[in-house]
Amino acid sequence: MKYKNLDIIGSEEWCVFEDLEIPAIKARVDSGAKTSSIQANNIKVYTKGAHEWVKFEVNPLQDNRGINIECRARLVDRRTVKSSSGISEERYVIKTPVRVGEITFDIELTLANRDTMEYRMLLGREALNERFVVNPAVSFSVKEFTVKEINEKYASHFKEKTGLKIALLASNPLLYSNKRIMEAGEALGHDMVFLNVEHAYMKLDANSPEIRYRGGNILNEFDAIIPRIKPAVTFYGCALIRQFDNLGVYCLNSAESITQSRDKLFASQLFSKNDIHIPITGFAKSPMDTKDLIRMVNGAPLIIKLLESTQGKGVVLAETNKAAESVINAFKSVQTNILVQEFIKEANGQDIRCFVVNGKVVASMQRQAEKGEFRANLHQGGKASIIKITSEERKLAVKAAKVLNLAVAGVDIIRSNKGPLLLEVNSSPGLEGIENATGKDIANIMIRAIESKIKFSV
């Protein structure tokens, strides 16, 4: 269809990039955006002749992360772009031919992390000008591909199963982190199975120990387990992990390491024992010791933490000594164990999350608490951005994970006048914030870590 010699396109259209070897990618047409963008992971700049080039990976189909295409293009620009969440970041820009319907033209694309977006590509107004008129009431006005046609176009990219069988032991298959791990394993050709912690049960027997799943199915064929158990089921989840370990299944994090990381008091004692610096921390049982406990951590303002808090929940800032006494005694009156910790004012509501896998920091982000909030956790409204950590911070993160014997850990660090201090270590760190902030495929790194540990090779 034409309008004054311009093709009419809908609110979403298929684009074809022959030079990038992408046979079809669905784009959202957005006349409000100036520049077009495409989803890109593992971006690396290199020199070819007298020019800079960029290598990157595209997962062109939103519902199939198993398809991964490596692309190369000449780098034409670097631009600072503000994302929908308000975070400014530098993006690489390439120029490449695109075909929309029957029209082929050169298009500038920014390489962006669009993993959480519904579309893998955005078609901006620079690409639309003098070529198309947008009718937002229709879709695929210039070209439609059937599911069969898409499958045929990507047939050569589907990978055969390799024989590795990996289970994700968790509670909610719809969580971002859990979906990404399942997708990453499938993308590498593994047989991925989601196991709900509470649907599994075990038989304890010296001759024939077993783990069974709802309905009586015996779980005896797994090569590896990825535990991501929520705090409420730590006891039972760790019992299952120990049973899998007894059956000879590799567990990415052991039951012992998870239990230690969840016990903030025990973890703090281990850190102190191993010369890992943490904010001054106090623990007491009797309300009679409250005043001295407060003085011991340099007085208010101070932080009060439940021993099993997570995602910033169960963490309170007491701004005066009187308020601190009231909160501490209130917790003690209901027999709740708490830690009292000095408040690092100079951190200004910022902390650093380092994602450690097999003894290496694979990604880092800075979290900034929203105005009026002291907790930088993303679940509490904090904002994430990429950050370059110091060698001292890197060593601290690696050592903290090692002390707890965690193969995968989210290590939280705060910058203070005394140098970097360890806040805590998470044995089931979330992927969404750090993947979006850094553009790194951390789920893939986790699956690769399993492969290396059990000496798997294609």
Side-chain angles (χ1 to χ4, degrees):
M1 184 181 260
K2 298 276 187 179
Y3 177 80
K4 294 183 179 179
N5 296 320
L6 299 180
D7 284 294
I8 295 180
I9 63 173
S11 59
E12 52 185 343
E13 295 289 350
W14 287 101
C15 297
V16 176
F17 293 92
E18 291 183 357
D19 285 14
L20 299 179
E21 299 183 1
I22 299 175
I25 184 169
K26 192 188 296 182
R28 179 168 74 90
V29 178
D30 185 0
S31 59
K34 180 181 178 182
T35 310
S36 303
S37 65
I38 193 167
Q39 179 269 343
N41 289 322
N42 299 324
I43 303 169
K44 294 180 181 177
V45 177
Y46 64 100
T47 302
K48 182 179 177 183
H51 302 286
E52 282 190 313
W53 283 61
V54 62
K55 178 173 69 173
F56 56 98
E57 295 174 358
V58 175
N59 305 117
L61 302 182
Q62 176 71 21
D63 57 354
N64 190 340
R65 288 296 296 262
I67 294 175
N68 190 59
I69 298 175
E70 185 177 285
C71 306
R72 296 171 187 265
R74 184 176 164 184
L75 183 63
V76 298
D77 198 6
R78 290 176 170 87
R79 291 179 194 159
T80 300
V81 177
K82 184 173 285 190
S83 69
S84 57
S85 60
I87 299 173
S88 295
E89 61 180 351
E90 184 183 72
R91 289 186 185 169
Y92 299 113
V93 183
I94 65 169
K95 193 170 186 177
T96 188
V98 62
R99 187 169 77 246
V100 182
E102 301 302 319
I103 300 176
T104 300
F105 56 95
D106 285 344
I107 185 174
E108 283 194 349
L109 293 171
T110 62
L111 305 183
N113 187 308
R114 299 183 58 84
D115 280 341
T116 58
M117 304 297 183
E118 185 179 356
Y119 296 90
R120 317 306 274 167
M121 180 181 165
L122 184 146
L123 199 62
R125 64 176 178 271
E126 282 186 341
L128 305 175
N129 284 346
E130 300 184 10
R131 296 188 182 96
F132 303 105
V133 173
V134 181
N135 180 357
V138 300
S139 296
F140 310 115
S141 176
V142 295
K143 183 65 178 179
E144 171 69 294
F145 291 124
T146 65
V147 173
K148 183 180 178 182
E149 287 175 322
I150 290 296
N151 288 338
E152 288 174 352
K153 288 177 179 293
Y154 284 100
S156 62
H157 295 278
F158 288 104
K159 296 183 179 180
E160 295 181 6
K161 297 294 182 185
T162 62
L164 260 192
K165 193 167 185 179
I166 303 172
L168 177 61
L169 187 66
S171 296
N172 185 355
L174 301 180
L175 287 181
Y176 175 93
S177 299
N178 295 339
K179 289 197 295 185
R180 284 287 297 111
I181 290 168
M182 295 291 287
E183 291 167 351
E186 289 165 359
L188 291 170
H190 301 305
D191 185 5
M192 301 295 295
V193 177
F194 184 90
L195 296 179
N196 189 312
V197 175
E198 295 171 72
H199 294 175
Y201 52 100
M202 65 196 95
K203 171 189 172 187
L204 307 177
D205 178 74
N207 296 320
S208 56
E210 291 177 348
I211 296 178
R212 298 195 179 199
Y213 203 62
R214 181 164 289 176
N217 297 316
I218 299 175
L219 305 176
N220 60 359
E221 298 178 351
F222 292 111
D223 298 292
I225 298 290
I226 302 173
R228 291 190 64 82
I229 54 178
K230 59 185 180 181
V233 293
T234 299
F235 178 81
Y236 189 69
C238 285
L240 283 171
I241 295 166
R242 283 192 293 271
Q243 187 78 346
F244 275 115
D245 183 62
N246 291 342
L247 294 171
V249 179
Y250 172 69
C251 300
L252 191 54
N253 275 338
S254 70
E256 180 185 19
S257 62
I258 293 171
T259 301
Q260 290 180 164
S261 70
R262 293 274 164 91
D263 184 337
K264 286 184 169 53
L265 176 60
F266 184 37
S268 297
Q269 289 174 316
L270 286 174
F271 298 144
S272 297
K273 181 181 178 181
N274 287 276
D275 196 32
I276 292 176
H277 295 281
I278 62 174
I280 298 170
T281 302
F283 177 76
K285 188 67 177 172
S286 170
M288 300 293 290
D289 304 312
T290 299
K291 289 183 183 295
D292 193 45
L293 190 66
I294 292 170
R295 285 193 295 268
M296 192 170 67
V297 298
N298 295 328
L302 55 79
I303 303 294
I304 301 163
K305 291 183 178 181
L306 294 178
L307 279 190
E308 294 185 352
S309 61
T310 183
Q311 296 176 349
K313 299 172 185 174
V315 181
V316 177
L317 172 65
E319 296 189 3
T320 66
N321 286 352
K322 188 173 181 180
E325 283 186 51
S326 298
V327 175
I328 292 168
N329 291 334
F331 276 131
K332 286 181 179 177
S333 69
V334 291
Q335 303 298 306
T336 301
N337 287 319
I338 58 168
L339 291 177
V340 178
Q341 199 167 71
E342 71 170 322
F343 178 62
I344 308 300
K345 184 179 180 180
E346 62 267 21
N348 294 318
Q350 294 178 343
D351 70 13
I352 298 168
R353 163 60 63 89
C354 297
F355 206 103
V356 180
V357 179
N358 277 354
K360 292 182 179 179
V361 176
V362 299
S364 302
M365 67 174 171
Q366 179 173 276
R367 301 181 298 189
Q368 173 68 60
E370 63 178 356
K371 191 174 181 180
E373 175 61 72
F374 70 96
R375 294 167 295 183
N377 305 69
L378 302 187
H379 290 85
Q380 302 298 328
K383 301 295 183 183
S385 58
I386 193 168
I387 187 174
K388 185 173 183 178
I389 60 173
T390 66
S391 60
E392 189 179 4
E393 290 162 348
R394 186 178 301 276
K395 289 175 183 176
L396 176 60
V398 170
K399 187 175 181 180
K402 186 178 180 180
V403 163
L404 294 178
N405 197 29
L406 287 167
V408 172
V411 181
D412 295 341
I413 294 170
I414 196 166
R415 288 174 172 172
S416 78
N417 293 335
K418 297 179 285 187
L421 300 175
L422 178 67
L423 287 180
E424 63 179 296
V425 180
N426 192 321
S427 58
S428 297
L431 304 188
E432 185 171 8
I434 200 159
E435 283 198 339
N436 288 341
T438 65
K440 292 189 176 181
D441 190 348
I442 295 176
N444 174 280
I445 295 171
M446 291 173 65
I447 301 297
R448 294 290 192 189
I450 291 174
E451 293 178 350
S452 67
K453 281 293 182 180
I454 59 179
K455 302 299 186 286
F456 168 81
S457 61
V458 179

